[in-house]
Amino acid sequence: MLSLSSVGQSVGLVLSGGGSKGLAHIGVIKALEERQIPIDFITGTSTGAIIGGLYASGYTAEEIQAIFLSDEFIDLMRGIKDEDYNYYFKKEKSTASWVEIPLDLKDFSSTTLPTNLVAPSGLNFEMMAVFEPAGLVASNNFDQLMIPFRCVASDIENKESIIFREGNLTEAIRASMSYPFYFRPITVEGQVLFDGGLYNNFPADIMHSEFRPGVIIGSNVSGNEEPPTEDDIISILRNMMVSKSNYSLDSNNGVLIEPNVPIGAFDFENLYELIDSGYLSTIRKIDAIELKVERRRKPEQLSEMRAQFNDQKTELRVSDVEVRGVNENQAKYIQHVLHLNKKDDESHLEGLKMRYHRLSEDDKIVSLFPKLVFNEKDTSYTLILDVDLNKEFKVDFGGNFSSRPINTGYVGLHYNHLGKLSYGLHGTSYFGKFYNSAELRARIDFPTRFTFSLQPFYRLSRYNFFQSLSTFFELDRPSFLVQNETFYGLDFSTPTGSNSKLMVEFGNGEFRDDYYQTDNFSTTDVPDRTSFPTTSVAVKWAKNTFNYKQYPNQGLNVLLSLRYNNSVEKFRPGSTSVGQSLFESNHEWAEARFLYDHYFKQRGVFRLGGMLELVYSGLGPFNNYTASVLRAPSFEPIPITRTLFLESFRAYQYAAAGAKVIFDLKNRFDLRLEGYLLQPYRRIDRQNSNEYVIEESFERRFTMASATLVYQSPLGPLSFAGNYYFNINETFLQESPFIFYVQFGYLIFNKRALD
């Protein structure tokens, strides 16, 4: 292939980096093909390396466009995994965590911060599936691709560019696109490599030195950084990291195309317009290109050239797995998870894909990098899996800051170990005025054909409600209700699919509610107290594909729960009780709950969602109204409702439904409009301060509505919200049924004992 220059004028194509702006390169290639301009050599950086590598590997411009415009690719670039490959069984329970920091207890100086926003393992697998067939045809020699190819990465230790001429094609291109703090860097032959654009974002010099073509056509969608200013830390850091690149070409043998792409590097909107911009910019320069390039490559010649190359590609059937970067026991665990079956089609790459993604969900694994090696004896492949493990200890921080008095901090400490078994020990704590909790939980995973986990746990929780809805600018009255829970037990779970699992819980606990049954109390009064030790057994089936743990706008959440409880109620009157005495009673009851919460596919700028919840509880009334309503199931569809004691939305039996309209204003910005209706059947109706009845009818119903502007930041959601409550009993909401608040972070707590 390198002899082209000796038989006719050769043409080299240089593709710059530039993030999503680089999709304009696809339009450039389309226009060149349309005018039969040959492309004999390609050099690229970052996005230019991906597009150039695909074209050099035998993909057409239309196929490259289809890859980049697919929902799967866009989601991978945003760090979102297709819901079919989410492994719900391995996902740890949601916490209010914002950031995780791995710890090395032997050497704190080696403690690291996260180096990427996007989880890399899914992207690595897709790149392997796309590039490995061509790389194997070329025998890892980039001159033997359909079009000779070079890409560059950056060695930040030696402050120099690395040129890839040979080796694993997937590895080379993945290194070239490892944009700092967005994609995780990879290690190649002991060197940690980052995005090639740090030191050479337009590799025209490499095109000249490596191939010496007669004509160089350059497509550039980037530029050098503006000079830093003393008060702009981002500008300073970018200038420190990125060297200036030369984006010019010699006018004697070069033509520079510069598509107009006024968007951010990681903006994945309006991608068609980006491709069109590259096409139109090339057409504007086509006269200059045709004057310099005399040769033409007819479509049938190009098709024959591509067919000859692609016909050498073989089906990717994997016959063996070799695990690197871990010890022998860890490798055995990983191979058990992949459980390669050579007797059926599961050995094909598509069959392995599901199990690979399940492995990547393990919190003990930071990243997976797969490569293929050809076995000539049986024309199969060995999967080489480079595994990067998490440090065994990590700490995470988070919480919620709110304009209401519910500010909560979160700290978690975790120990994870991978050997023949996978196990971990997790301690989580929440602390604040409204909520305090501590949980210790262990988890042991058994990677057998019948996969399951055991999780013993011990949890303390305290909810401290207030009598007003004041903001932090106002004073609160004393707390009128405090709930304390101590609960311990054992959870068993097993997957029933990629996105679902079956759970069985055995638990025992002590619950204590301190409360006043009157508004006339002070800080010196002693509250009434209801305590009840409880034994509980629950069976649950859950499916969850939500894309965010709070304020999701995509996916499905289904829960079916059956629970049996046995308890002894013990009542002790406080200083404000009149005519009440010590009381004790046994309770034995069953509960059933069904939840269906679905966000439908996006159509344009908005999407619709719907929710249905059905609850049945056989619990009988307690000694008094407050104790009874406290233990009735509660409808809490909006995050803020978890912090409010709303008697109207509590009932022993009810049906609830909701509708949601979400406007996708821009990437990570949503405007949410939500409305919910609760239809109770068996509810507690207060007659006066000490009397109540159990009302079994459909006469009353209650509604709430919410409007929320949400920004899903990399740390957590920032929300501006207003809620409205209609036709309810609470005096403080009848006076002012609107609640406005601003929050940053997660209103996520440790699970309530009997939920």
Side-chain angles (χ1 to χ4, degrees):
M1 290 186 179
L2 289 174
S3 62
L4 276 170
S5 58
S6 63
V7 298
Q9 185 185 44
S10 60
V11 179
L13 178 63
V14 181
L15 304 177
S16 76
S20 58
K21 296 184 291 184
L23 267 69
H25 300 325
I26 300 173
V28 172
I29 294 173
K30 280 186 171 184
L32 294 176
E33 280 192 351
E34 185 179 281
R35 294 303 182 101
Q36 301 181 23
I37 304 298
I39 300 173
D40 302 311
F41 311 107
I42 299 176
T43 60
T45 295
S46 196
T47 308
I50 306 175
I51 293 173
L54 286 167
Y55 195 73
S57 297
Y59 291 87
T60 66
E62 288 73 21
E63 288 171 336
I64 297 171
Q65 175 175 308
I67 290 172
F68 275 83
L69 296 183
S70 67
D71 291 340
E72 182 179 16
F73 179 83
I74 294 171
D75 284 346
L76 285 172
M77 297 297 285
R78 288 173 170 171
I80 302 171
K81 186 178 292 186
D82 188 292
E83 65 180 39
D84 290 338
Y85 300 114
N86 283 320
Y87 196 30
Y88 185 45
F89 169 72
K90 287 297 293 184
K91 289 186 180 297
E92 290 294 334
K93 67 184 186 69
S94 295
T95 68
S97 174
W98 299 347
V99 64
E100 297 179 354
I101 302 176
L103 299 176
D104 189 333
L105 298 187
K106 296 179 180 178
D107 182 7
F108 277 99
S109 64
S110 67
T111 294
T112 58
L113 292 173
T115 59
N116 57 288
L117 293 175
V118 172
S121 297
L123 179 65
N124 294 343
F125 189 94
E126 296 305 321
M127 290 184 65
M128 179 193 71
V130 167
F131 286 112
E132 286 293 306
L136 293 166
V137 169
S139 299
N140 294 328
N141 180 350
F142 297 175
D143 286 336
Q144 301 304 315
L145 293 167
M146 189 190 87
I147 298 173
F149 171 73
R150 300 287 186 271
C151 65
V152 295
S154 298
D155 176 3
I156 62 171
E157 179 185 2
N158 297 306
K159 305 293 188 296
E160 63 182 11
S161 289
I162 301 297
I163 303 172
F164 284 99
R165 305 176 179 89
E166 60 184 8
N168 184 270
L169 181 61
T170 307
E171 198 171 56
I173 294 173
R174 175 65 175 80
S176 184
M177 58 171 285
S178 299
Y179 193 86
F181 308 115
Y182 195 81
F183 293 115
R184 181 181 175 85
I186 67 170
T187 301
V188 181
E189 296 183 357
Q191 294 175 301
V192 178
L193 300 182
F194 280 87
D195 192 289
L198 293 182
Y199 302 141
N200 190 345
N201 204 32
F202 187 65
D205 57 331
I206 293 171
M207 173 63 73
H208 179 74
S209 63
E210 292 284 315
F211 300 119
R212 298 190 178 279
V215 176
I216 297 177
I217 300 172
S219 176
N220 174 42
V221 294
S222 193
N224 288 313
E225 291 293 319
E226 295 292 330
T229 57
E230 60 185 16
D231 58 350
D232 187 346
I233 186 62
I234 301 299
S235 172
I236 293 172
L237 289 174
R238 289 176 66 90
N239 274 270
M240 290 172 62
M241 289 192 304
V242 181
S243 299
K244 292 187 181 298
S245 294
N246 182 2
Y247 292 100
S248 64
L249 291 174
D250 187 340
S251 60
N252 293 321
N253 74 332
V255 178
L256 182 62
I257 302 166
E258 295 186 288
N260 181 25
V261 284
I263 66 168
F266 300 105
D267 187 348
F268 294 96
E269 307 294 332
N270 303 316
L271 299 184
Y272 282 102
E273 287 81 350
L274 292 175
I275 296 172
D276 288 343
S277 175
Y279 177 86
L280 294 173
S281 297
T282 306
I283 294 299
R284 295 188 189 103
K285 293 289 185 79
I286 202 67
D287 291 341
I289 293 172
E290 291 180 335
L291 283 174
K292 294 182 184 295
V293 181
E294 298 177 359
R295 283 176 56 233
R296 295 292 180 269
R297 180 173 286 150
K298 295 181 180 180
E300 56 269 23
Q301 293 175 318
L302 180 60
S303 296
E304 182 181 357
M305 176 180 169
R306 181 173 287 117
Q308 288 178 353
F309 183 82
N310 286 336
D311 286 346
Q312 300 176 66
K313 297 177 181 178
T314 59
E315 184 180 21
L316 298 179
R317 184 174 60 85
V318 178
S319 61
D320 197 11
V321 176
E322 180 182 335
V323 182
R324 296 176 178 175
V326 296
N327 63 38
E328 182 179 353
N329 286 335
Q330 293 164 341
K332 287 180 179 179
Y333 175 88
I334 291 169
Q335 289 170 334
H336 273 303
V337 174
L338 294 174
H339 59 267
L340 193 64
N341 190 341
K342 302 177 185 179
K343 296 181 180 180
D344 56 32
D345 290 339
E346 289 185 358
S347 61
H348 290 268
L349 199 63
E350 192 62 30
L352 273 175
K353 185 175 179 179
M354 181 71 72
R355 297 189 293 278
Y356 170 92
H357 280 290
R358 290 182 174 184
L359 180 64
S360 71
E361 292 288 340
D362 198 305
D363 59 359
K364 299 158 190 68
I365 294 174
V366 176
S367 69
L368 303 170
F369 195 91
K371 296 180 286 188
L372 295 175
V373 175
F374 184 66
N375 303 316
E376 293 186 359
K377 290 183 179 180
D378 59 0
T379 65
S380 67
Y381 294 88
T382 295
L383 176 67
I384 307 295
L385 194 60
D386 290 320
V387 180
D388 191 3
L389 295 179
N390 241 323
K391 289 182 170 62
E392 289 193 327
F393 288 91
K394 72 177 180 181
V395 61
D396 55 345
F397 303 92
N400 180 71
F401 291 111
S402 175
S403 58
R404 293 193 56 251
I406 53 173
N407 297 312
T408 307
Y410 165 83
V411 177
L413 180 63
H414 311 269
Y415 171 75
N416 290 299
H417 179 78
L418 186 65
K420 288 185 178 180
L421 298 178
S422 170
Y423 58 86
L425 185 63
H426 309 279
T428 58
S429 63
Y430 293 82
F431 44 91
K433 188 174 184 179
F434 163 72
Y435 179 70
N436 290 273
S437 181
E439 180 184 69
L440 186 64
R441 175 181 291 268
R443 174 169 178 153
I444 306 172
D445 286 288
F446 298 85
T448 58
R449 280 304 183 108
F450 176 70
T451 303
F452 68 96
S453 74
L454 296 177
Q455 299 184 56
F457 63 90
Y458 184 87
R459 182 167 59 245
L460 301 171
S461 296
R462 178 183 176 92
Y463 298 83
N464 193 350
F465 292 90
F466 298 87
Q467 198 164 16
S468 74
L469 291 173
S470 64
T471 67
F472 50 54
F473 299 110
E474 301 170 348
L475 295 176
D476 293 303
R477 294 182 61 183
S479 56
F480 74 107
L481 168 63
V482 177
Q483 290 188 298
N484 290 276
E485 296 183 347
T486 301
F487 199 61
Y488 56 91
L490 177 69
D491 285 343
F492 165 89
S493 64
T494 185
T496 57
S498 291
N499 299 309
S500 61
K501 60 183 178 181
L502 178 68
M503 299 163 284
V504 180
E505 178 187 88
F506 304 91
N508 194 72
E510 175 79 26
F511 309 109
R512 190 183 76 222
D513 297 336
D514 293 333
Y515 51 90
Y516 294 97
Q517 300 183 63
T518 176
D519 290 337
N520 299 316
F521 62 90
S522 67
T523 55
T524 59
D525 281 315
V526 177
D528 296 347
R529 172 172 294 178
T530 297
S531 61
F532 48 104
T534 301
T535 299
S536 180
V537 179
V539 179
K540 303 178 184 179
W541 181 84
K543 180 175 183 178
N544 193 312
T545 63
F546 278 173
N547 57 339
Y548 296 116
K549 58 185 179 182
Q550 186 168 296
Y551 298 119
N553 58 21
Q554 179 179 309
L556 171 69
N557 181 29
V558 182
L559 174 66
L560 178 61
S561 173
L562 301 172
R563 182 181 289 275
Y564 165 80
N565 304 295
N566 193 313
S567 178
V568 178
E569 173 195 1
K570 300 177 181 179
F571 172 74
R572 185 216 67 188
S575 60
T576 60
S577 293
V578 178
Q580 294 187 321
S581 59
L582 294 173
F583 175 85
E584 186 171 312
S585 177
N586 292 324
H587 294 273
E588 183 177 1
W589 75 101
E591 284 188 3
R593 182 187 181 204
F594 172 73
L595 171 67
Y596 182 89
D597 196 357
H598 190 195
Y599 294 89
F600 303 98
K601 291 289 186 180
Q602 185 169 358
R603 295 292 183 268
V605 298
F606 74 95
R607 67 186 70 189
L608 299 175
M611 177 186 183
L612 174 66
E613 185 175 41
L614 305 174
V615 171
Y616 168 87
S617 175
L619 179 63
F622 277 28
N623 176 62
N624 57 70
Y625 169 80
T626 305
S628 299
V629 77
L630 271 172
R631 289 301 155 182
S634 178
F635 180 55
E636 300 172 344
I638 303 171
I640 197 70
T641 53
R642 300 168 195 156
T643 69
L644 301 174
F645 180 54
L646 298 176
E647 302 167 53
S648 298
F649 290 92
R650 291 172 175 262
Y652 291 130
Q653 297 167 23
Y654 66 79
K660 313 172 194 182
V661 178
I662 301 176
F663 295 89
D664 186 5
L665 304 179
K666 196 170 177 60
N667 185 26
R668 292 183 175 268
F669 277 96
D670 285 341
L671 175 62
R672 304 173 62 93
L673 304 177
E674 304 173 60
Y676 299 93
L677 181 145
L678 174 75
Q679 174 60 74
Y681 171 69
R682 186 167 177 262
R683 63 181 295 271
I684 309 153
D685 188 26
R686 190 170 195 162
Q687 303 296 296
N688 55 49
S689 60
N690 293 318
E691 296 181 1
Y692 65 94
V693 296
I694 301 299
E695 181 183 88
E696 295 184 349
S697 73
F698 296 106
E699 293 183 2
R700 296 288 304 274
R701 59 196 58 87
F702 307 95
T703 60
M704 68 174 77
S706 174
T708 310
L709 178 64
V710 180
Y711 170 62
Q712 294 282 3
S713 80
L715 294 180
L718 173 64
S719 59
F720 303 82
N723 294 351
Y724 176 77
Y725 300 89
F726 177 75
N727 189 31
I728 62 176
N729 295 330
E730 286 75 2
T731 303
F732 62 88
L733 285 175
Q734 289 175 350
E735 296 171 354
S736 178
F738 290 97
I739 301 177
F740 297 97
Y741 53 93
V742 180
Q743 292 187 150
F744 178 79
Y746 296 101
L747 274 175
I748 296 176
F749 309 131
N750 282 328
K751 189 176 77 72
R752 279 188 175 267
L754 301 183
D755 280 353

